[in-house]
Amino acid sequence: MISKLHYISQGKTPLEHLENIEKACLHGADWIQLRLKNLDEESILSTAKKAREITSAHQVKLIINDYCKVAKQVEADGVHLGKTDTCPAMARKELLDWQIIGGTANTLEDCKALVEKQVDYIGLGPFRFTTTKDNLSPILGLEGYTQILDNLNSNIPVIAIGGITLTDVVDILKTKVYGVAVSGEITSDFNTISAFQEQLKTSKLANLLKQNQHV
């Protein structure tokens, strides 16, 4: 099952990433993506092995950003692929049959392409400007999510990503988004994990009840 809250790791060094992953686990995160940039694959593999040890001890799912071979080698729960990374269809052949594949999208066309390639979830964004990613795609905002999800005929979970804060959750879920991925706000205060989880739970339930009233 795809979590409604994805924590994307942050840190100036691999050690900081691991420390933050440990903190996220201790504060109740159930889905963590290890996102390391500008490092050689050997360093990423070494860090991923340690991240796998931490998340396994807490029974938390671990997703590796970009690196299929690393995800397979450390037996992570899956991989998240950017638009310029390995094709999801090719990754499916490389990975173990139980491993999850997520893909990044910025447009309706991106989403449709990922649906055809049978990803397990779509990371759609950015919601707003964020400093955690270089070469940022066009900002979507609530209007962008609404337009895309109203025209995407698929049951694949869509995760909103990019500068999301706790106060955004209610409005984002009204666009039919399944869940959110958060990096900066959680890293600055890991106590917000439980607040995000509660907000996702109650907001989703409220939206479902509202939809049922109109059936």
Side-chain angles (χ1 to χ4, degrees), residues 110-127:
D110 290 341
C111 290
K112 288 181 176 179
L114 289 173
V115 169
E116 288 180 5
K117 292 169 183 174
Q118 298 182 324
V119 296
D120 297 296
Y121 72 91
I122 295 170
L124 179 61
F127 172 64

Side-chain angles (χ1 to χ4, degrees), residues 10-172:
Q10 274 190 319
K12 294 179 181 178
T13 65
L15 179 58
E16 281 191 17
H17 276 266
L18 292 171
E19 290 173 344
N20 287 332
I21 286 172
E22 178 83 48
K23 291 175 184 177
C25 290
L26 291 171
H27 282 81
D30 60 9
W31 184 292
I32 293 173
Q33 181 187 137
L34 174 64
R35 186 176 185 271
L36 293 168
K37 294 293 182 181
N38 304 317
L39 289 174
D40 60 90
E41 192 163 335
E42 185 177 342
S43 297
I44 290 171
L45 175 60
S46 174
T47 308
K49 286 179 179 178
K50 295 171 184 175
R52 176 72 287 183
E53 291 175 4
I54 294 169
T55 53
S56 292
H58 293 278
Q59 296 183 315
V60 171
K61 280 188 167 58
L62 175 66
I63 304 296
I64 305 297
N65 184 268
D66 295 354
Y67 292 86
C68 288
K69 291 180 180 178
V70 171
K72 183 176 182 179
Q73 193 164 342
V74 303
E75 294 192 359
D77 294 280
V79 66
H80 183 90
L81 302 170
K83 293 172 69 174
T84 60
D85 296 327
T86 305
C87 171
M90 185 176 296
R92 184 70 70 190
K93 296 178 181 179
E94 295 180 7
L95 293 172
L96 302 170
D97 57 10
W98 49 267
Q99 288 181 303
I100 296 163
I101 296 177
T104 296
N106 177 247
T107 65
L108 177 60
E109 289 70 27
D110 290 341
C111 290
K112 288 181 176 179
L114 289 173
V115 169
E116 288 180 5
K117 292 169 183 174
Q118 298 182 324
V119 296
D120 297 296
Y121 72 91
I122 295 170
L124 179 61
F127 172 64
R128 65 161 60 90
F129 178 78
T130 174
T131 59
T132 63
K133 189 169 185 178
D134 298 328
N135 303 316
L136 200 66
S137 297
I139 305 302
L140 292 176
L142 294 172
E143 184 177 349
Y145 283 116
T146 299
Q147 290 179 350
I148 290 172
L149 289 168
D150 280 349
N151 291 283
L152 182 65
N153 184 25
S154 171
N155 293 321
I156 292 177
V158 172
I159 306 296
I161 187 170
I164 293 169
T165 66
L166 186 60
T167 57
D168 298 318
V169 173
V170 173
D171 289 333
I172 287 176

